[in-house]
Amino acid sequence: MGAPRERKASTSTQLSESSRTSKLWANGYVLLLTLGAGIGGLLFGYDTGVISGALLYIRDDFREVNESTFLQETIVSMAIAGAIIGAAVGGWVNDRHGRKIATLAADCVFAMGAVLMAAAPNPYVLILGRLFVGFGVGIASLSAPLYIAEASPAEIRGALVSTNVLFITAGQFLSFLINLGFTEVSGTWRWMLGVAGIPAVVQFIVMLYLPESPRWLFQKEKYEEAVAILEKIYPEDQVSYEVQKLTNSVDKELLSDASIGGIRYLDLMKSKEIRLALWAGVGLQVCYFVLDLVTLRILLLPRK
């Protein structure tokens, strides 16, 4: 008698969870938050892919670029240098000003870089534009997944955060189509690089109408705004539970920050567990970029 009851209860629980998950997926507001922030991944993907085709025509327009492999390498790599700086600064911007402001700032910098590249009168302005674009990508690559994770329900969070990677791949694919489409158009590479500003402008407009991350609002003690957003994300019967869970999580985080306030980075490195975690995380990222076909595609540029 006990076993059938347990199976029935288990089946009922599974159906309830499945129904709740289905409702979350049907929430257009959550999907809008995800798609709006995910455009940052599109910027990342487009920027990494478009330069492989554009550089062929840049060499035709600028004799000094055609004659200097150093200039060619600088044009390609300057976006990566900008991304390193952007990612380093992005954490502070996100913590201080919020995920929404960080994304808007990234869009502005990216759009400025796209305009500079499209209008570049010489290779050096082009390099500056690449630096701006990379800086925007660096901030966006941090802000987008962070915003999606903090603004999405736990039951479907993993799937929604992974859309950022989907947007990166879509951006790479789109860049090759754009390269192909402008090969016979006057100003070839200027169009290829300038088009990158369109997604940035679109995301800027969309983000103006989207809210700040509820978790960041809780951290800044803007509880009413945070609760209003959570009410749009979760079903009515789940809001109070999510508010309490988020409150406990933020309080625990603040206590943890206070307790390690006097600890230096060198002290942390004395812990074997932290060192192993650091090496594992950094090592995986290094392997990803060293072995990644996207990187090879950028570096092994075709020659005429």
Side-chain angles (χ1 to χ4, degrees):
M1 291 291 292
R5 285 178 182 171
E6 290 178 1
R7 283 197 296 269
K8 186 175 181 180
S10 176
T11 302
S12 177
T13 301
Q14 290 175 356
L15 290 174
S16 176
E17 291 178 352
S18 176
S19 175
R20 187 166 66 248
T21 302
S22 298
K23 289 180 180 179
L24 292 173
W25 276 112
N27 188 336
Y29 186 73
V30 173
L31 298 180
L32 178 62
L33 295 177
T34 303
L35 294 176
I39 298 176
L42 189 74
L43 301 178
F44 188 174
Y46 187 88
D47 183 61
T48 58
V50 71
I51 193 61
S52 61
L55 189 60
L56 295 172
Y57 301 95
I58 293 171
R59 287 161 48 199
D60 289 340
D61 277 8
F62 297 129
R63 184 168 54 86
E64 55 265 55
V65 174
N66 189 47
E67 296 174 351
S68 172
T69 56
F70 175 77
L71 275 177
Q72 294 175 34
E73 292 165 358
T74 302
I75 290 171
V76 173
S77 61
M78 192 54 64
I80 300 173
I84 293 173
I85 300 171
V89 174
W92 177 83
V93 175
N94 274 276
D95 288 342
R96 182 69 180 271
H97 302 288
R99 296 33 166 155
K100 179 177 177 177
I101 296 298
T103 303
L104 292 173
D107 290 332
C108 289
V109 175
F110 193 98
M112 287 171 57
V115 171
L116 279 174
M117 291 188 298
N122 57 63
Y124 306 102
V125 174
L126 176 59
I127 290 170
L128 180 62
R130 291 285 292 166
L131 182 66
F132 272 60
V133 165
F135 187 80
V137 164
I139 297 177
S141 64
L142 178 65
S143 304
L146 186 60
Y147 182 89
I148 296 171
E150 294 183 347
S152 57
E155 293 87 343
I156 58 174
R157 184 170 297 148
L160 292 180
V161 172
S162 67
T163 59
N164 186 61
V165 180
L166 179 63
F167 270 95
I168 293 174
T169 307
Q172 292 165 353
F173 178 68
L174 180 63
S175 71
F176 299 135
L177 293 182
I178 295 295
N179 282 350
L180 178 63
F182 285 115
T183 51
E184 303 298 330
V185 177
S186 177
T188 50
W189 64 270
R190 296 184 185 276
W191 286 104
M192 294 174 184
L193 299 178
V195 164
I198 296 177
V201 173
V202 170
Q203 185 180 43
F204 184 89
I205 295 172
V206 171
M207 288 300 297
L208 287 176
Y209 296 95
L210 295 182
E212 182 52 81
S213 156
R215 183 179 183 84
W216 185 83
L217 290 172
F218 258 88
Q219 291 174 335
K220 301 301 178 181
E221 300 181 357
K222 299 180 179 181
Y223 303 118
E224 292 184 3
E225 293 180 48
V227 171
I229 297 167
L230 291 172
E231 288 174 347
K232 296 180 181 180
I233 295 174
Y234 292 96
E236 186 177 351
D237 59 348
Q238 196 178 342
V239 173
S240 58
Y241 170 74
E242 293 298 331
V243 169
Q244 186 59 50
K245 187 169 72 170
L246 186 56
T247 302
N248 294 338
S249 175
V250 170
D251 289 344
K252 185 177 180 181
E253 181 180 311
L254 292 175
L255 287 173
S256 177
D257 289 345
S259 66
I260 64 173
I263 298 180
R264 299 172 301 171
Y265 285 110
L266 185 61
D267 296 327
L268 293 174
M269 293 303 295
K270 293 178 181 178
S271 168
K272 181 180 179 181
E273 291 77 10
I274 292 177
R275 286 202 310 274
L276 289 174
L278 179 65
W279 280 111
V282 173
L284 286 173
Q285 288 297 311
V286 170
C287 289
Y288 171 78
F289 280 104
V290 168
L291 302 177
D292 184 37
L293 292 177
V294 175
T295 305
L296 292 176
R297 198 158 50 232
I298 294 171
L299 297 177
L300 301 179
L301 293 168
R303 302 286 179 180
K304 283 187 175 181

